[in-house]
Amino acid sequence: MLLWFVIAYWVISVAIGLWAAMRVKSAADFAVAGRHLPFYMVTATVFATWFGSEAVLGIPATFIDGNLRDIVADPFGAALCLILVGIFFAAPLYRMKLLTIGDFYKRRYGRVAEVLTSLAIVVSYLGWVGAQIVALGLVFNVVSGDLISQEMGMWIGAVTILIYTFFGGMWAVAITDLVQMIVIVGGLLFISGEVAEMAGGVSTVVNHAAAAGKFEFWPEMDAKELIAFIAAACTMMLGSMPQQDVFQRVQSAKSERIAVWGSILGGSLYLLFAFIPLFIGYAAVMLVPDMVNKQMANDSQLVLPHFVMTHMPFVAQVLFFGALLSAIKGCASATLLAPSVSFSENILKPMLPPMTDRQFLKMMRMVTLVFTCLVMAYALNTEATIFGMVESAYQVTLVTAFVPLAFGVYWRKATNQGALTSIFAGFLVWQGVMWLGPEDPFIPAQFAGLLASLAGMIIGSLLPQYFEHDHEVHDQLHRGEHAHEALAKAD
C-alpha cells in the first residue's frame, strides 16, 4: 500500500512539472524562469533546492555517530551560504541580468576565466546530483520491500526527474519546488510530533542528547582541530556560493529585493527545518537503540527510513516518504538543470556558430540529457556516502571559483591576471596536498587550496599586468539599481 502511495505521489509531481513546462517559450524561460518568480516561489525554490537527501538521510546519520561539530558543513555552512549570498551577492549579480554565473566571470575577467570556472562548477555537480540519485534508489528499495533494487530505483528516479526538467527547465523546478516545500514542512512537522509523543516529549529527547554530548559544537582550542573545523565550514559556506543553482534563484526573481530576501529567508528556513530530521534520528536512538546500532553498522543512511517503516503508523510513513521524495526531487531537478545550463551557455555556445533562441533551448535540453547519463554513471560506481558526496562536491568550486567571485564584486583592483592566478594556484595546491601530502595533513587540502587561491588573487592583481583589464564592470556593479543598463551596453 505504501509503495502505491509513493508511486501516485511521484506521478502527480511529475505531471505538475510537465504542466509547468507549458510556460517555457524561450531559453530564458528554461534557464531562469523568465525572471518572473514572486517572493514566495523564490523562497520555496531556495529552500527545496538545499533540502535534499543529505538533510533527511546523511546529516542525521552523521549527527548520531558524532555531534553538532561533525555537521558544521551542512546544515550550518550550507544555510549561511544562502544567507550571505542574499546579503552580499544577490543585488549586484541581479543587476547584471545574466543567464549563468559563468557570464559574470566572462564579463569581469574574460573568456579563459569563464571556461575554467564553468568547468569547475559543472564538475562539482556530479557529486551533488549523484547523492540525490543514490538516495532515490534507497527510498524505492525500502518502500518496495526489496522488490525494486537500489540500482533500478536510481534509474526510475533519474529518468522521471529528467523528463520534467528536460521539458520544463526552471519553471518546472520552481513550481514543483513550491509543492515539495509544503509536503516537506507538513510531513516533517507531523512526524516529529508523533516521535515526540513516543519519546516522552521534546524536552526528554533534547535533554538526553545534551547529556550524551551531542550538542558540542565548537572545536577544542587546538590549532589543527580549529583549522579542520573552519575548513569544513568553509567548504559548503563559501564553496556553494559560486554555484549555478544559487545564481539561478537570484536571477529568476521578479525584482532585486525579492532576490535578496528570498535567498535570506530560504536559507533561514533550511537551517530551521534541518534540525527536525536530527530530532527524529536521535529519538530513534532512545526508542530502538538495537535497530539504530544495526543500521549504523550496515548503512547509516537507512536509520530514519527503517525507523519510520518499522515503528511509525501508516499515515506517518506516507508523510515521511512523501517529504523525503519531495526533498530529493527538489534538489535533484535543480542541480540537474544548473550545470546543463552553465555548460551550454559558457562552454558550448561560444564554440558554435550563432544560433537562434530556439536552437539554444534545444541544445540546453540535450546537454541536460547527457549530464543525466554522466551522473548515473558516477552514482552507480561511487562508494561514498550521501553526506560525503555532497560535502566533497564543493571543494572544487571553493578552491577555484569563490575568490574570483568575491573579489570580482568587492575589490576594484582584481584583474584578469589575478583571477587566473587564483584559479590555478587554488587548484594546484588543493590537488597537491590531496595526492602528495600526508594522509592527515595539518591544513586540509581544500582549505590550503582556498588560501592559495586568495594569495594568487592578491599577488596576481598587484603585480605588473600581462593581460588587458577593464575595471568598468566592477564600477557598474555598485552604481545602484540602474546599473544593469550600463552593464548591458558594456556586454
Side-chain angles (χ1 to χ4, degrees), residues 129-265:
V129 188
Q132 312 314 311
I133 299 301
V134 169
L136 283 174
L138 288 172
V139 172
F140 281 114
N141 178 252
V142 170
V143 298
S144 68
D146 292 328
L147 290 176
I148 299 175
S149 67
Q150 183 175 342
E151 290 76 15
M152 180 59 67
M154 291 166 65
W155 278 108
I156 293 171
V159 170
T160 50
I161 290 173
L162 170 65
I163 289 172
Y164 74 78
T165 306
F166 182 91
F167 291 104
M170 189 60 195
W171 268 118
V173 170
I175 292 176
T176 54
D177 277 356
L178 178 61
V179 175
Q180 284 152 194
M181 178 181 176
I182 296 171
V183 175
I184 291 168
V185 171
L188 289 181
L189 286 176
F190 177 85
I191 295 164
S192 63
E194 291 286 309
V195 170
E197 185 176 346
M198 293 169 61
V202 174
S203 60
T204 302
V205 179
V206 172
N207 292 336
H208 194 284
K214 294 297 179 180
F215 294 153
E216 294 180 6
F217 181 74
W218 299 108
E220 299 177 5
M221 288 299 101
D222 173 78
K224 185 176 181 180
E225 291 289 328
L226 187 61
I227 292 174
F229 179 83
I230 295 172
C234 287
T235 299
M236 288 196 71
M237 181 171 62
L238 305 183
S240 300
M241 288 185 184
Q243 288 286 1
Q244 175 63 15
D245 61 297
V246 178
F247 177 83
Q248 275 180 311
R249 275 127 198 86
V250 169
Q251 292 296 315
S252 299
K254 191 180 292 187
S255 69
E256 182 180 314
R257 182 179 179 84
I258 290 175
V260 171
W261 287 104
S263 182
I264 292 173
L265 181 58

Side-chain angles (χ1 to χ4, degrees), residues 115-137:
V115 171
L116 294 175
T117 52
S118 296
L119 286 174
I121 290 167
V122 170
V123 169
S124 73
Y125 277 101
L126 282 174
W128 199 5
V129 188
Q132 312 314 311
I133 299 301
V134 169
L136 283 174

Side-chain angles (χ1 to χ4, degrees), residues 118-119 122 338-349 363 367:
S118 296
L119 286 174
V122 170
S340 304
V341 173
S342 286
F343 192 80
S344 301
E345 166 73 6
N346 302 112
I347 306 298
L348 288 182
K349 187 178 179 182
M363 183 177 73
V367 171

Side-chain angles (χ1 to χ4, degrees), residues 18-26 29-30 36 41 168 171-172 175:
L18 291 175
W19 169 76
M22 296 171 63
R23 294 172 175 258
V24 177
K25 307 297 183 184
S26 67
D29 289 335
F30 187 85
H36 291 312
M41 289 190 71
W171 268 118
I175 292 176

